[in-house]
Amino acid sequence: MSIDQRAVEHGWLADLRASLADEFATQTARLRELTELNADTGDPGEAHNQAALLVATRRHLEQITGALGRIADGTYGACERCRKGIPAERLEVLPHVRFCVPCQEKHKG
């Protein structure tokens, strides 16, 4: 990899890290709000929606934390199963993704 490529990659990772950190802060605030608003309204539908939002927010925080950890330890962008590089296009759409498409399909099944 050339110096220019490393500089571009480093800049891209720095931007991604900042974006993920911002998203982490947003999701943490959302989780705090959802937890504080956890008052029982007596409406089972509302309780179900509230529980689903809490689960989704916690999952998103775990995904962000995982991506930040992989950036920090230098494994970001490598499939956790086959260790091959995950295409940049996939990472741009799903920055928290842990598997390449073929391994993701195997992981599901």
Side-chain angles (χ1 to χ4, degrees):
M1 182 182 303
S2 73
I3 292 174
D4 289 340
Q5 288 172 318
R6 272 190 254 142
V8 168
E9 184 175 307
H10 179 73
W12 180 77
L13 278 176
D15 290 347
L16 177 62
R17 185 181 308 117
S19 175
L20 288 169
D22 287 346
E23 183 64 16
F24 184 86
T26 299
Q27 293 300 317
T28 301
R30 181 178 184 200
L31 182 62
R32 189 176 307 113
E33 288 175 17
L34 289 169
T35 304
E36 289 171 359
L37 296 175
N38 201 15
D40 186 7
T41 62
D43 179 359
E46 178 131 353
H48 177 75
N49 288 341
Q50 186 81 3
L53 285 171
L54 281 167
V55 168
T57 302
R58 286 184 179 124
R59 185 178 315 118
H60 197 180
L61 281 166
E62 288 171 4
Q63 291 171 337
I64 294 167
T65 301
L68 288 169
R70 290 188 299 280
I71 290 170
D73 68 18
T75 61
Y76 185 80
C79 176
E80 287 185 9
R81 179 173 268 180
C82 70
R83 302 293 180 216
K84 292 181 183 173
I86 299 171
E89 296 82 12
R90 181 165 168 77
L91 293 170
E92 287 175 15
V93 174
L94 299 167
H96 61 273
V97 73
R98 299 170 32 215
F99 303 104
C100 64
V101 173
C103 289
Q104 182 68 46
E105 291 300 318
K106 290 175 191 172
H107 187 72
K108 285 182 185 178

